[in-house]
Amino acid sequence: MKYLRGLLFFASTVLLYLGLPFLGWGINHLRGFFAVAPRMGYALVVLIFGLAVGYQGIDNPEGVRGGHGDESKRVRRQTVLAYALSWILFAVLFFLPFADRRAIGTPGIGLGARWAGVALCALGYTLIFWSGLSLGRLYSAEVTIQKDHRLITSGLYCYIRHPRYLGALCVAFGLSLTFRSWIGLLLSVLLPGLLLERIRDEEALMHQEFGREWEDYCGRSWRLIPWLY
């Protein structure tokens, strides 16, 4: 059963991050999608990411699908924001390839920038995967406190308090460059504001729950970008 679960996690990841771009580009014209090397590189990145998520889903599925926290300690407005961000992600994964094929808002982004976008996507998906691996059952798409919650301060979390959000930023800018979209880049500039609002709520909840332990952790780690913020 656990191997079937891993296969389902792999398939759902690939369908989301590659299937939607295929639909946006046009299923009947996939040869054109793979005609440009950076788009082929992006597809390879997604397949590797899918394999990693599938592997994680075999023995640590909570790190992928997330757990449910204490209802009384859930920041409800962030639940709404999480759903909104998910739908924005679906729209972006569809629209950017759609616009790329039809040259909508694409001038001036060359091959080098597109490869930089693929690299950013690879970094972003790595951060997202690694954070889920580190958090395990304590991962949640909601801002909440779970049963027997404890601070995770090892691995990536030794240095960055919110590596998953940094990964999301890398993916947003990476997708925009990979599919040469100025529209995507402009929208990506708005994403840090939404994530910082989520981070403020999350850190306030952590401080309320863990007090001095959280303060000590903040004193030796960075919020989002090492040595900068």
Side-chain angles (χ1 to χ4, degrees):
M1 179 62 72
K2 65 180 183 179
Y3 294 107
L4 176 59
R5 182 175 62 217
L7 180 61
L8 290 174
F9 277 24
F10 165 76
S12 61
T13 300
V14 172
L15 284 174
L16 172 61
Y17 293 99
L18 198 54
L20 282 177
F22 282 172
L23 285 175
W25 181 269
I27 294 294
N28 295 330
H29 302 276
L30 289 184
R31 181 177 295 180
F33 184 96
F34 291 107
V36 174
R39 288 196 295 261
M40 187 180 298
Y42 172 75
L44 179 61
V45 166
V46 170
L47 288 175
I48 294 172
F49 178 50
L51 287 171
V53 171
Y55 171 78
Q56 183 182 0
I58 292 174
D59 293 316
N60 189 15
E62 292 84 0
V64 180
R65 65 191 176 203
H68 297 286
D70 187 333
E71 187 73 23
S72 65
K73 295 182 178 181
R74 182 180 303 169
V75 182
R76 295 188 180 279
R77 66 172 180 164
Q78 291 300 336
T79 300
V80 174
L81 180 59
Y83 281 114
L85 288 173
S86 295
W87 282 105
I88 291 171
L89 172 64
F90 300 155
V92 164
L93 286 168
F94 178 88
F95 173 75
L96 294 186
F98 176 89
D100 186 4
R101 182 183 165 203
R102 294 156 182 83
I104 301 172
T106 59
I109 298 180
L111 203 61
R114 299 181 80 163
W115 275 118
V118 174
L120 278 173
C121 285
L123 175 60
Y125 290 142
T126 299
L127 290 170
I128 291 170
F129 167 73
W130 199 348
S131 71
L133 205 61
S134 297
L135 291 174
R137 69 170 186 83
L138 295 179
Y139 165 64
S140 175
E142 300 170 335
V143 176
T144 186
I145 297 294
Q146 303 202 49
K147 182 180 179 181
D148 300 322
H149 205 112
R150 60 186 177 86
L151 284 180
I152 301 296
T153 60
S154 58
L156 277 176
Y157 287 88
C158 182
Y159 308 100
I160 312 174
R161 298 198 291 277
H162 306 281
R164 195 176 192 92
Y165 301 150
L166 178 58
L169 286 173
C170 289
V171 170
F173 283 98
L175 286 169
S176 300
L177 289 172
T178 300
F179 295 104
R180 56 175 187 153
S181 176
W182 282 107
I183 298 172
L185 287 172
L186 290 173
L187 291 175
S188 296
V189 171
L190 303 177
L191 182 59
L194 296 175
L195 291 180
L196 288 176
E197 184 67 21
R198 185 175 176 88
I199 285 171
R200 278 192 286 270
D201 280 346
E202 189 170 311
E203 294 204 340
L205 185 62
M206 293 294 108
H207 186 258
Q208 179 181 341
E209 185 72 15
F210 295 103
R212 183 58 183 271
E213 184 184 1
W214 175 257
E215 293 175 7
D216 292 342
Y217 173 49
C218 290
R220 62 178 188 271
S221 62
W222 299 89
R223 179 172 282 120
L224 201 60
I225 304 174
W227 303 289
L228 184 61
Y229 178 71

